[in-house]
Amino acid sequence: MVSVDDYGDFETAWCPGCGNHSILKAVKKALASMGLEPHESIFVSGIGQAAKSPHYLKANVFNGLHGRALPAATGIKLANPRANVIVQSGDGCNYGEGGNHFLAAIRRNIGLTLLAHDNQIYGLTKGQASPTTTQGHATKAQPGGNPSAPFNPVAVAVTMQANFVARGFSGMIDHLADLIVQAINHPGFSLIDIMQPCVTFNKVNTFAWYKERCYEPQGHDPEDWEQAIRLANQWGDRIPVGVIYRGTRPAFEQTLPHPTNDLLYKNRPARDVLKEIMNVYS
Amino acid sequence: MRRELNILIGGEAGQGLVTVGELLTKALIRSGYNVHVCQGYMSRIRGGHNTFAVRAGVERVLGPVSKIDILVALNQETITLHKGQMREDGLVLKDKEIEMEGDGLLEIPFKELAPSPLFENVVGLGFLSALLGLDKAVPQGCIKDIFGKKKPEVVEKNLDVLEAAYSFARKQGIQSHNLARTDQKPGLMLTGNDGVILGAMAAGVNFCSYYPMTPSTGIPMTLNAKGKSLGIVVEQAEDEIAAINMAIGASYAGARSMVATSGGGFALMCEGVSLAGMTETPIVIVVGQRPGPATGLPTRTEQGDLNLVLYSGHGEFPRAIFAPGNPEQGFDLTVRAFDLAERSQGPVFVLTDQYLADSYRNVPPFDLSRVKGPASPGDSWPDPQTYQRYALTDDGVSPRLVPTLGPYLVVADSDEHYPDGHITEDLEVRTAMTEKRLSKEKIIKQDVVPPDYYGPDQVQTLLVCWGSTLGPALEAQGKAGKNKVGVLHFTQVWPLDQDHFRERMGSAGRVVFVESNATAQFARLLEREVVPDSKNYILRYDGLPLDAEYILARLDLS
């Protein structure tokens, strides 16, 4: 039996009340409920407060560069398709600096679970607008209001038929843990965009703000793409949470020709095969 | 009978000149000749002016030459651009429709000999092979090998066309351009890229990610096409930034990883180089240089990115840079690069250029039995609780384990970290980790490949070169007289070991640096490195600023 305690208890560098704490709890809960031991998962992150998450639980960790968690995770998954690879980082990291990689990961449908901690602000660099900050939202860096329209990651992911698209809320820990389990179990690329308050720098999208709006839609069929598109674009007074879209595309890593075994590092070249290849050049 | 011929095939992209050139090169190598191919092309798929120059010799041929013995003109422009390079007794081969008058002209009725334009390549091959006096069985064999996978009737049709071209050429009765016979054993027909590819395969490469960029694209393309039976995964990334991060991720998961790019693509990868340095992840980075800055001359050659590669990545961490001078060295040094990347747990470079990447040579088959390939990372640990990815050790190298295979945890971090991999801002730990990373330079320095010296012990003029300029430098030496000129060729350009070259350079009458760039990048690097033995430094790297107290405490004023 694996328990939440197996994932350890660490001191964090997050502000008290930060949404990251609850997301961490949900992650541990999800992994423990699946019976996954700490060493069976690889957490990959970029840079930002959210990207520190993997340091606060027991797991294998690759904490890379800002915006580059998805490519690093893709390489890890291709080198070891059996590993449970989870990417954890913020809205700036995933949708700003890493925007191109986000689109490519969806297209590739690589078997990763992306937990995007979305607090609609840059926390680590102290309060600038992020790609998901609402237009007009005033920040220290954008005192006249954020001039750009926000990026809607859920709508983009559904439009591109990402294999699993969900929206979570850090204030609904059990619900979020359940989404994480579903995302990990679903083949191909899974996105959970997780609403979370930044208590220090985002005075607009507060815990109360999200709590008032987040709701679980009844009777939604995640396999109905048109319904999913409508739900993905619902934002404002009411924000739907839960599984928005579920597709059936085969996972990228399952379509690769791995002749000898799944773990790439075990493949050592046979001399006769090398010789045959060399002979082609004669 | 000739002992050497320079054949230039010129035409538009899309006319099949590379096919004719490659088939002819193969036939020449199989006939026992030495070859050197220099390709010139423009950044377009159709049209433009492209050249494929095959220099064939009974003796070794090491570089390109400008004088042409046989010019194969597939269009009018080729004649206009190259007729000035013809030797007096040179021959121009052209289709009837191309205008030119004068001596030394042979018209090939391409359209009459070929049942359709598809077969004009084989007409060219047959005509040239006959003109050079090659045994007909050799081009026949080349055709069978190339078209053998298609339907047998395709092979038959091509063989018929070859026959027709041969007998047409024979009827012309020209023997002035026959090559003297050789009894040299045929070798492999390899470009510089091929040398790197076979080296990577022999070293056991598992993963290559890339974003296409001339002249390195051929490396991942071939690894993909030929590497299936070796279990190699090749992924075309969304950009170069993704490519290097993917390769580093794969390497973290245990795979022997590489990327191949050119200067412009590499510029985007530089942050990833720093990541490999910080996370101590082995990776082989092949940079095929071409002229810059920015997009420069995308299909031409230059050795202009040495400084970029040498200084790439922010922060301080060790690296090694190899620079092969021919496909054989490309093979050996790529094998070495994979081994060193694993042993030093960091980035190792193979620096080539367009000229080397694309030029075919005849190369003896590689002795695969001496290639061991790098050690694999581990997959077990006696007491999982004690495993630390960045454990402090005497030589700075920590045990590398493949994650998920055992109950140990592998934590790698781009941020400064404790020995267990977790993030820290402890400045003492920072200091220890900086020293640990830098101490791995010892491993790299133990094994620096000394430059090769070609020439007599005492020499008036010493040519110092690196990478692809080896052949041209040796040819220059041959022409100047071997007693007068020596050639010192560096296949490893970083780090350098002064003991390998100080004496040689000091004893020469004069030292002349030969490199393909405008600012003598390697010469300046050497000059920088030849420093007095006695050096004193006061350095600080714990994250705090230097101050007078710090300096005075370390300054021996007694």
Side-chain angles (χ1 to χ4, degrees):
Chain A
M1 273 294 283
V2 183
S3 83
V4 167
D5 296 338
D6 294 336
Y7 282 89
D9 193 14
F10 295 77
E11 195 188 319
T12 76
W14 295 324
C15 306
C18 170
N20 286 330
H21 294 286
S22 326
I23 299 175
L24 181 61
K25 274 187 198 151
V27 167
K28 287 184 189 175
K29 199 174 170 214
L31 296 176
S33 77
M34 292 175 78
L36 281 166
E37 295 195 50
H39 74 272
E40 291 180 283
S41 299
I42 302 177
F43 278 82
V44 187
S45 62
I47 298 300
Q49 293 296 2
K52 290 178 184 166
S53 303
H55 284 290
Y56 306 140
L57 81 170
K58 285 188 179 168
N60 296 291
V61 178
F62 187 88
N63 182 189
L65 299 170
H66 189 44
R68 316 302 171 204
L70 282 170
T74 300
I76 290 169
K77 188 72 179 176
L78 292 176
N80 181 0
R82 279 181 254 169
N84 175 38
V85 184
I86 297 173
V87 176
Q88 227 180 339
S89 218
D91 39 320
C93 197
N94 287 307
Y95 309 136
E97 189 115 15
N100 189 23
H101 310 311
F102 175 64
L103 300 181
I106 295 174
R107 288 175 44 228
R108 213 175 257 123
N109 198 28
I110 183 88
L112 310 170
T113 299
L114 169 59
L115 306 180
H117 299 216
D118 192 347
N119 58 12
Q120 303 177 253
I121 204 83
Y122 280 114
L124 186 65
T125 54
K126 305 193 175 176
Q128 301 81 6
S130 91
T132 54
T133 302
T134 314
Q135 194 162 18
H137 177 158
T139 72
K140 256 193 217 166
Q142 290 83 18
N146 171 31
S148 301
F151 179 74
N152 182 339
V154 173
V156 169
V158 174
T159 301
M160 291 179 70
Q161 305 195 345
N163 237 25
F164 182 96
V165 187
R167 187 180 277 133
F169 171 42
S170 65
M172 299 162 69
I173 294 180
D174 289 346
H175 178 257
L176 180 58
D178 176 58
L179 285 181
I180 294 170
V181 172
Q182 290 189 57
I184 290 172
N185 283 333
H186 196 77
F189 181 77
S190 304
L191 164 71
I192 308 178
D193 189 68
I194 307 165
M195 308 280 98
Q196 58 138 148
C198 172
V199 292
T200 307
F201 296 110
N202 189 337
K203 305 294 187 196
V204 177
N205 311 104
T206 60
F207 185 82
W209 189 92
Y210 288 120
K211 193 152 199 279
E212 205 180 298
R213 288 165 173 79
C214 288
Y215 80 100
E216 288 179 75
Q218 298 303 305
H220 172 59
D221 175 9
E223 268 140 52
D224 182 334
W225 184 76
E226 285 180 10
Q227 260 190 44
I229 282 278
R230 274 196 297 277
L231 216 51
N233 280 296
Q234 194 179 101
W235 182 268
D237 290 343
R238 276 164 71 75
I239 303 172
V241 295
V243 182
I244 308 286
Y245 178 72
R246 206 163 38 219
T248 54
R249 293 159 63 199
F252 184 80
E253 67 277 11
Q254 281 157 11
T255 64
L256 289 175
H258 290 189
T260 48
N261 54 60
D262 284 344
L263 280 156
L264 281 191
Y265 90 103
K266 288 198 171 167
N267 290 342
R268 305 299 307 233
R271 198 153 297 153
D272 51 331
V273 179
L274 275 178
K275 242 189 180 149
E276 227 171 83
I277 292 171
M278 199 165 74
N279 279 339
V280 175
Y281 293 89
S282 61
Chain B
M1 290 284 182
R2 302 296 185 93
R3 297 196 73 79
E4 194 184 309
L5 283 174
N6 187 31
I7 305 144
L8 186 131
I9 308 166
E12 287 180 15
Q15 281 191 304
L17 81 166
V18 174
T19 314
V20 179
E22 285 179 345
L23 281 166
L24 178 69
T25 305
K26 184 150 267 201
L28 283 162
I29 291 175
R30 287 185 179 187
S31 303
Y33 295 103
N34 295 300
V35 295
H36 176 280
V37 170
C38 198
Q39 294 198 58
Y41 49 96
M42 298 177 84
S43 189
R44 50 196 292 177
I45 303 306
R46 292 200 179 269
H49 178 63
N50 292 7
T51 57
F52 192 99
V54 189
R55 190 177 163 206
V58 175
E59 287 83 29
R60 272 317 257 170
V61 285
L62 298 168
V65 288
S66 60
K67 284 285 177 195
I68 299 167
D69 297 287
I70 301 173
L71 179 65
V72 184
L74 301 181
N75 63 0
Q76 193 76 47
E77 195 182 14
T78 301
I79 291 176
T80 315
L81 289 171
H82 297 287
K83 68 180 175 199
Q85 288 167 255
M86 297 300 297
R87 283 189 200 281
E88 268 183 26
D89 56 356
L91 277 179
V92 176
L93 315 185
K94 64 167 197 67
D95 190 78
K96 266 193 241 166
E97 289 167 16
I98 296 170
E99 284 173 31
M100 185 189 171
E101 284 174 9
D103 298 331
L105 206 59
L106 270 183
E107 281 187 351
I108 313 175
F110 278 101
K111 293 191 175 58
E112 285 155 42
L113 293 170
S116 83
L118 267 183
F119 293 88
E120 287 182 16
N121 292 328
V122 174
V123 172
L125 171 71
F127 194 91
L128 281 165
S129 301
L131 190 66
L132 269 45
L134 305 188
D135 185 342
K136 194 164 56 187
V138 177
Q140 279 173 342
C142 294
I143 284 176
K144 281 178 199 160
D145 286 354
I146 303 259
F147 300 107
K149 282 182 197 144
K150 298 185 181 169
K151 292 173 187 163
E153 57 263 33
V154 176
V155 178
E156 285 309 314
K157 265 191 187 168
N158 277 290
L159 287 176
D160 289 346
V161 173
L162 183 84
E163 183 66 43
Y166 241 86
S167 56
F168 175 82
R170 289 263 158 91
K171 269 186 217 146
Q172 310 302 308
I174 295 169
Q175 286 176 5
S176 57
H177 286 70
N178 281 7
L179 276 164
R181 298 269 157 195
T182 81
D183 50 12
Q184 179 172 277
K185 264 176 78 179
L188 308 175
M189 172 178 154
L190 298 182
T191 60
N193 272 352
D194 293 329
V196 170
I197 290 161
L198 289 170
M201 284 178 171
V205 66
N206 302 126
F207 185 84
C208 176
S209 40
Y210 75 108
Y211 186 83
M213 190 167 186
T214 305
S216 292
T217 315
I219 295 172
M221 299 280 277
T222 305
L223 285 175
N224 199 26
K226 294 197 163 82
K228 242 175 227 173
S229 50
L230 296 170
I232 300 170
V233 170
V234 177
E235 175 59 5
Q236 182 182 324
E238 52 273 29
D239 56 32
E240 282 91 348
I241 297 171
I244 192 163
N245 280 279
M246 256 180 218
I248 290 170
S251 182
Y252 162 80
R256 280 167 293 275
S257 289
M258 70 181 289
V259 292
T261 184
S262 182
F266 181 67
L268 288 174
M269 292 185 176
C270 290
E271 192 193 22
V273 174
S274 182
L275 178 67
M278 184 54 138
T279 57
E280 304 192 39
T281 309
I283 180 170
V284 173
I285 301 163
V286 182
V287 181
Q289 301 165 95
R290 60 189 220 186
T295 314
L297 285 172
T299 65
R300 306 298 169 172
T301 200
E302 192 168 275
Q303 291 180 304
D305 295 332
L306 173 60
N307 285 340
L308 172 69
V309 170
L310 180 62
Y311 300 112
S312 59
H314 51 293
E316 298 174 296
F317 53 92
R319 74 190 69 198
I321 309 171
F322 297 111
N326 54 39
E328 295 98 306
Q329 292 176 352
F331 179 86
D332 289 339
L333 295 171
T334 304
V335 168
R336 207 180 178 98
F338 273 94
D339 178 59
L340 190 58
E342 184 63 42
R343 282 193 294 121
S344 66
Q345 298 187 5
V348 175
F349 297 88
V350 178
L351 197 51
T352 68
D353 54 43
Q354 183 269 335
Y355 159 57
L356 176 66
D358 290 336
S359 75
Y360 285 103
R361 332 269 173 112
N362 57 303
V363 176
F366 300 122
D367 179 5
L368 298 169
S369 66
R370 62 193 170 83
V371 179
K372 283 217 311 265
S376 287
D379 53 15
S380 66
W381 196 255
D383 175 8
Q385 300 299 322
T386 65
Y387 174 68
Q388 295 189 311
R389 173 62 190 97
Y390 302 113
L392 296 167
T393 59
D394 289 342
D395 61 0
V397 179
S398 315
R400 201 163 90 86
L401 300 185
V402 181
T404 74
L405 299 191
Y408 52 81
L409 299 178
V410 186
V411 181
D413 203 325
S414 70
D415 224 277
E416 195 54 274
H417 40 256
Y418 289 110
D420 68 4
H422 286 291
I423 197 165
T424 180
E425 293 190 44
D426 181 320
L427 302 187
E428 275 179 41
V429 175
R430 157 72 186 177
T431 306
M433 281 295 160
T434 302
E435 284 166 7
K436 165 195 159 51
R437 287 187 289 270
L438 290 177
S439 72
K440 294 189 295 175
E441 181 133 36
K442 269 190 236 127
I443 291 162
I444 294 173
K445 281 201 159 161
Q446 270 163 12
D447 265 342
V448 173
V449 185
D452 295 309
Y453 179 67
Y454 306 84
D457 275 346
Q458 281 301 317
V459 77
Q460 188 49 40
T461 300
L462 181 69
L463 301 182
V464 177
C465 60
W466 62 283
S468 71
T469 39
L470 171 65
L474 288 178
E475 292 232 335
Q477 177 196 36
K479 287 192 172 123
K482 286 218 157 92
N483 295 327
K484 288 190 190 141
V485 175
V487 173
L488 188 65
H489 177 251
F490 286 78
T491 56
Q492 180 161 7
V493 290
W494 189 261
L496 296 164
D497 182 343
Q498 290 184 45
D499 291 343
H500 290 158
F501 55 84
R502 189 165 34 190
E503 210 179 307
R504 176 77 61 198
M505 286 174 65
S507 69
R510 65 176 172 148
V511 174
V512 181
F513 291 96
V514 180
E515 46 188 312
S516 272
N517 59 51
T519 54
Q521 292 183 22
F522 185 62
R524 290 188 184 193
L525 179 60
L526 270 180
E527 286 156 10
R528 197 192 79 176
E529 281 301 293
V530 182
V531 287
D533 288 336
S534 163
K535 294 171 270 187
N536 294 290
Y537 305 104
I538 294 171
L539 308 165
R540 185 168 193 174
Y541 37 85
D542 59 359
L544 298 180
L546 272 168
D547 57 38
E549 200 183 343
Y550 186 97
I551 295 166
L552 288 171
R554 286 156 185 82
L555 192 61
D556 186 4
L557 294 173
S558 59

